[in-house]
Amino acid sequence: MSVVVSIRANAEQLLASLPAGVTLVAAVKGRSLEQVREVIQAGVAHIGHNYVQEAEAMRPLLLEPVQWHLIGHLQTNKARKAVELFDIVETVDSLRLAQEIDRRCAATGRIMPVLIEVNSGGEEAKSGVAPDKLDELVHDLAALTHLRVQGLMTMGPRFGDPEDSRPYFRATRAAFERLATAGLAHVEMRVLSMGMSNSYLVAIEEGANMIRLGSRLFEAQGARS
């Protein structure tokens, strides 16, 4: 006999299945306000938007006390609005972008936590700093007084065998651990954000303490036997 699992129940089951210390960020691109509220009611406290304009439309309507993550590529001309809307930017991948965020934060007197997005697979279609340029970028960002580098983010292949992501996750964790011992100002490696709906279990095995789930969170509520 099959049952239909609600978004809320599905989210509760997912949260209960995660190891202690792993944070679930709901990737809410294209989701309705009602759907987002369901996962919040289940206990999800971190909401991830790909687009500044999507967050700008939703945030005034969503009054629940959640943390807002920017998980999509940020253009420098959207940095001012991003600083107003988000609690953390997970996708810093260049000194130019970081400097613009730092400048906007300085103007408003705030400090912005950021993650460095690493293009661990070297895929041309994806944003992120190349692994061999990562250390240089982190050292440059250490000089910015209104940013706090709190970790790394990477995606890995979006589709296919989740095992294909393992070497990329493993390499990103190694970089994370190396930078954690660098002793840089304004750099504290706390967050390793890796894994999406297809690959989050592998990411957790490789040390992720933050995962970003969209379809697995919102679309797994169909018939189950």
Side-chain angles (χ1 to χ4, degrees):
M1 180 177 178
S2 64
V3 296
V4 175
V5 180
S6 70
I7 290 174
R8 178 171 177 172
N10 182 58
E12 288 172 345
Q13 291 170 10
L14 269 171
L15 286 169
S17 73
L18 296 178
V22 175
T23 297
L24 191 163
V25 178
V28 302
K29 181 175 71 174
R31 307 299 171 182
S32 69
L33 188 65
E34 292 72 24
Q35 289 176 312
V36 176
R37 282 204 171 109
E38 282 197 62
V39 299
I40 293 172
Q41 290 164 1
V44 174
H46 298 262
I47 302 300
H49 275 284
N50 285 69
Y51 305 114
V52 170
Q53 58 269 31
E54 201 173 66
E56 188 175 16
M58 183 175 286
R59 182 149 191 176
L61 304 175
L62 197 67
L63 302 180
E64 289 83 353
V66 296
Q67 294 288 302
W68 292 72
H69 295 235
L70 180 61
I71 60 174
H73 179 67
L74 178 62
Q75 297 174 320
T76 54
N77 63 353
K78 299 286 181 66
R80 180 185 64 80
K81 185 59 68 174
V83 164
E84 295 174 4
L85 290 169
F86 293 100
D87 298 302
I88 182 170
V89 176
E90 291 198 28
T91 51
V92 171
D93 61 359
S94 70
L95 178 58
R96 179 170 174 261
L97 174 59
Q99 288 172 330
E100 184 63 16
I101 296 171
D102 183 74
R103 186 173 75 85
R104 296 296 183 178
C105 286
T108 58
R110 72 166 299 189
I111 304 294
M112 176 62 78
V114 302
L115 305 183
I116 307 302
E117 181 177 6
V118 184
N119 187 345
S120 54
E123 298 171 86
E124 290 185 7
K126 288 183 180 176
S127 56
V129 61
D132 62 348
K133 302 292 184 184
L134 173 61
D135 287 46
E136 178 184 353
L137 178 61
V138 174
H139 279 75
D140 288 341
L141 266 56
L144 301 179
T145 57
H146 287 79
L147 292 190
R148 295 294 182 268
V149 178
Q150 294 197 337
L152 304 180
M153 183 269 252
T154 198
M155 294 175 66
R158 186 174 179 183
F159 303 108
D161 186 344
E163 282 296 323
D164 293 343
S165 297
R166 191 178 294 278
Y168 304 116
F169 294 156
R170 189 167 291 171
T172 304
R173 180 181 181 176
F176 176 87
E177 292 175 344
R178 181 181 69 249
L179 289 164
T181 64
L184 298 171
H186 308 143
V187 176
E188 184 179 0
M189 290 285 144
R190 288 198 243 164
V191 179
L192 185 55
S193 178
M194 304 192 300
M196 300 185 294
S197 292
N198 184 49
S199 59
Y200 75 96
L201 293 174
V202 173
I204 291 170
E205 289 175 359
E206 293 301 331
N209 58 17
M210 182 175 285
I211 57 175
R212 306 173 307 280
L213 302 186
S215 59
R216 178 65 183 85
L217 186 63
F218 289 99
E219 297 173 10
Q221 71 274 13
R224 294 183 178 179
S225 56

